[in-house]
């Protein structure tokens, strides 16, 4: 897997399992990288709440899809995460 370093409050997500049958825009994925957080006025970053390895639901239209080393990934800001997955 590539060594990702997203900026600010952005995440890199590897889609898994495809779209939810009830909503084809809602996808599940595993977080593979997180940025340091959104910069605050003080200059310190506000930490990202989502952790590497967590599974999330996200709207596929919210992110930017890309391919690296033959694998598909999505880059999206943390505020586009719809929910954490219990699975």
């Amino acid at each position: 897997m590539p060594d990702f370093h997203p900026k600010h409050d952005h995440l890199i997500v590897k889609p898994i399992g495809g779209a939810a049958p009830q909503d084809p825009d809602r996808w599940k994925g595993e977080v593979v990288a997180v940025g340091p957080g959104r910069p605050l006025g003080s200059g310190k970053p506000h930490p990202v709440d989502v952790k590497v390895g967590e599974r999330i639901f996200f709207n596929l239209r919210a992110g930017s899809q890309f391919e690296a080393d033959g694998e598909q990934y999505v880059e999206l800001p943390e505020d586009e995460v719809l929910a954490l997955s219990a699975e």
Side-chain angles (χ1 to χ4, degrees), residues 63-74:
S64 299
Q65 298 179 44
F66 67 96
E67 184 178 321
D69 293 343
E71 298 284 340
Q72 294 295 319
Y73 296 94
V74 178

Side-chain angles (χ1 to χ4, degrees), residues 15-28 57-62 65 82:
I16 53 175
Q22 67 276 18
D23 184 356
D25 289 332
R26 184 175 166 182
W27 281 66
K28 185 176 180 181
F57 289 104
F58 62 98
N59 186 328
L60 191 60
R61 296 180 191 192
Q65 298 179 44
L82 300 173

